[in-house]
Amino acid sequence: MEKQISQAVIARLPRYFRYLGDLKDKGVERISSQELSSLMKVTASQIRQDFNNFGGFGQQGYGYNVEYLYGEISKILGLTEKHHLIIIGAGNLGQAIANYMNFEKRGFIFKGIFDANPALHGKQIRDMVIQPMDNMESFIKENDIDIAVLTIPKTGAVEVANRLVKNNIKAIWNFAHVDLNVPKDIQVENVHLSESLMKLSYKLTKEQ
Ligand code: NAI
């Protein structure tokens, strides 16, 4: 895609995708921007503007074809391709992510899980066995891994990220509480539940 899409628009796409998926599952074939607007509590003009970034998708007087729009957004989000993931850090968070089956429906396939703690090696999580960190490099190559999920403390995260970069990982889903300084062509998405909780706290404080 030639056109530069703003991060704000991209951040809204997964929500459109979720709503359209629900509509599709309910057998809804088409929806107007007004109907989608009242369902999602986003203005109809925002929806039209967002979709105009990708050529509109809609037809005057018809609305949006749900299946088509769902398919197009899924292409834009790269969800029509399969991604192979590994998890680094098989503690509470790493195991919770490994056990969450729904990611696979979106094409995110968990291939392996690694941890530095020998006491965990050999333990089975779903169809994966927790492996030592020494196996990581060869595993990435042999299994065509493109995304690494970092669920380790911040102390080890930078070093592990550097190892991942050296082994041509394409993206890091970073839960460690540290900013990773990786080359520009490596995509990093930081997820910090505590930041979300602080936002909630702010909203609560504002209400008082
Ligand atoms: P945990 O202590 O249950 O698990 C951490 C695992 O990482 C352990 O099994 C440990 O052996 C392993 N580990 C430590 N250093 C390693 C290294 N250098 N290489 C490979 N494995 C290593 O902790 P939990 O609850 O799973 O949290 C993991 C990390 O994620 C913590 O540092 C925590 O601060 C952070 N966290 C982040 C959240 C977020 O929203 N971003 C939410 C919850 C936790």
Side-chain angles (χ1 to χ4, degrees):
M1 196 172 303
E2 298 300 319
K3 198 175 158 204
Q4 196 65 25
I5 316 266
S6 82
Q7 285 300 315
V9 176
I10 292 164
R12 286 194 286 272
L13 288 183
R15 187 157 180 262
Y16 288 126
F17 183 74
R18 181 159 55 84
Y19 272 84
L20 290 162
D22 288 346
L23 289 166
K24 196 166 78 73
D25 290 346
K26 285 185 194 137
V28 177
E29 283 174 18
R30 63 169 150 157
I31 189 159
S32 66
S33 47
Q34 282 77 15
E35 286 168 316
L36 197 55
S37 152
S38 60
L39 195 65
M40 294 183 64
K41 308 214 169 12
V42 178
T43 65
S45 93
Q46 166 98 80
I47 291 174
R48 281 192 294 268
Q49 268 177 38
D50 283 349
F51 294 171
N52 275 342
N53 279 286
F54 316 104
F57 302 136
Q59 278 170 32
Q60 200 72 35
Y62 174 88
Y64 298 105
N65 178 313
V66 171
E67 176 112 41
Y68 174 76
L69 189 52
Y70 178 85
E72 289 303 303
I73 294 181
S74 124
K75 274 190 237 163
I76 293 161
L77 289 173
L79 300 176
T80 49
E81 287 165 34
K82 295 240 180 301
H83 297 286
H84 292 166
L85 290 81
I86 50 169
I87 299 173
I88 316 291
N92 294 307
L93 190 56
Q95 293 199 26
I97 291 172
N99 278 313
Y100 184 62
M101 311 278 285
N102 270 1
F103 293 131
E104 309 220 328
K105 286 195 204 142
R106 301 273 175 257
F108 298 101
I109 317 294
F110 289 99
K111 292 287 211 174
I113 181 160
F114 298 81
D115 200 286
N117 180 0
L120 292 173
H121 299 159
K123 186 180 167 192
Q124 178 123 10
I125 301 174
R126 283 175 56 200
D127 52 352
M128 298 178 293
V129 169
I130 301 175
Q131 302 187 54
M133 290 299 289
D134 286 349
N135 290 6
M136 187 182 78
E137 274 86 358
S138 58
F139 191 91
I140 290 174
K141 283 196 193 84
E142 284 155 22
N143 293 277
D144 206 13
I145 303 299
D146 46 5
I147 304 178
V149 186
L150 265 195
T151 47
I152 57 176
K154 63 178 173 187
T155 41
V158 170
E159 190 216 317
V160 172
N162 290 340
R163 276 172 71 181
L164 291 165
V165 169
K166 271 196 197 121
N167 284 277
N168 299 325
I169 207 86
K170 295 197 187 100
I172 299 176
W173 199 24
N174 178 35
F175 288 82
H177 291 138
V178 63
D179 291 330
L180 302 173
N181 190 10
V182 295
K184 274 208 200 79
D185 58 333
I186 313 285
Q187 306 303 326
V188 177
E189 181 64 28
N190 298 305
V191 184
H192 297 308
L193 299 182
S194 49
E195 290 180 7
S196 176
L197 203 50
M198 282 184 234
K199 277 195 220 158
L200 187 64
S201 161
Y202 168 77
K203 287 180 191 165
L204 266 181
T205 315
K206 219 173 49 164
E207 287 303 309
Q208 280 162 9

